[in-house]
Amino acid sequence: QVQLVESGGGLVQAGDSLRLSCAASGRTFSRYNMGWFRQAPGKEREFVAAINWSGGRTRSADSVQGRFTISRDNAKNTVYLQMNSLKPEDTAVYYCAADQDSTASGIIYYAAVEYEHWGQGTQVTVSS
């Protein structure tokens, strides 16, 4: 089991940067592939970025490519989402999610249903 707690959200202006953090409990954090998703009001939850258990492989949505970077520090049980050049359309609740990679395959999933554990979310609001 792993519990996830996001932090770092807030209200910023377009063009600003934010770094989200997701702290995980438990001693098996390095066995999980991690993802960030977001959900805007009235919209479905969507994939933002993900990183495999070792940190050697990442994927990101086209809408954030070149602006957002996902990383992790297994020694600190933490995954990060660095968000630069924020736009009003990035406004959403951002969720951290964990997918247990029992076979260490490193396969990164884009679908929310593949992730077993979720944080409570942190609000990011970007004003124009």
Side-chain angles (χ1 to χ4, degrees), residues 6 20 33-40 44-50 68 70 81 83 90 92-99 108-118 121-122 124:
E6 303 97 335
L20 305 184
N33 299 323
M34 301 297 296
W36 285 99
F37 289 77
R38 67 186 181 186
Q39 188 166 17
E44 293 188 354
R45 192 168 297 191
E46 65 172 357
F47 172 82
V48 176
F68 292 11
I70 188 171
L81 184 68
M83 306 187 295
D90 294 319
V93 177
Y94 282 71
Y95 297 91
C96 173
D99 163 42
I108 291 176
Y109 294 104
Y110 296 82
V113 70
E114 300 290 349
Y115 292 79
E116 302 92 11
H117 307 286
W118 291 83
T122 185
V124 172

Side-chain angles (χ1 to χ4, degrees), residues 2-121:
V2 62
Q3 292 184 324
L4 307 173
V5 179
E6 303 97 335
S7 62
L11 171 63
V12 297
Q13 293 187 331
D16 286 351
S17 298
L18 275 177
R19 188 175 81 156
L20 305 184
S21 298
C22 173
S25 65
R27 295 175 293 177
T28 60
F29 177 70
S30 62
R31 298 181 187 176
Y32 289 84
N33 299 323
M34 301 297 296
W36 285 99
F37 289 77
R38 67 186 181 186
Q39 188 166 17
K43 295 188 176 181
E44 293 188 354
R45 192 168 297 191
E46 65 172 357
F47 172 82
V48 176
I51 188 167
N52 76 331
W53 60 271
S54 70
R57 185 182 306 165
T58 64
R59 294 290 185 269
S60 58
D62 290 345
S63 59
V64 305
Q65 202 125 46
R67 299 188 299 123
F68 292 11
T69 303
I70 188 171
S71 62
R72 68 190 295 162
D73 185 337
N74 286 346
K76 295 183 178 180
N77 281 14
T78 303
V79 62
Y80 305 98
L81 184 68
Q82 178 66 44
M83 306 187 295
N84 298 329
S85 303
L86 282 161
K87 304 176 181 180
E89 50 264 44
D90 294 319
T91 294
V93 177
Y94 282 71
Y95 297 91
C96 173
D99 163 42
Q100 187 170 10
D101 190 350
S102 303
T103 62
S105 68
I107 295 175
I108 291 176
Y109 294 104
Y110 296 82
V113 70
E114 300 290 349
Y115 292 79
E116 302 92 11
H117 307 286
W118 291 83
Q120 302 272 48

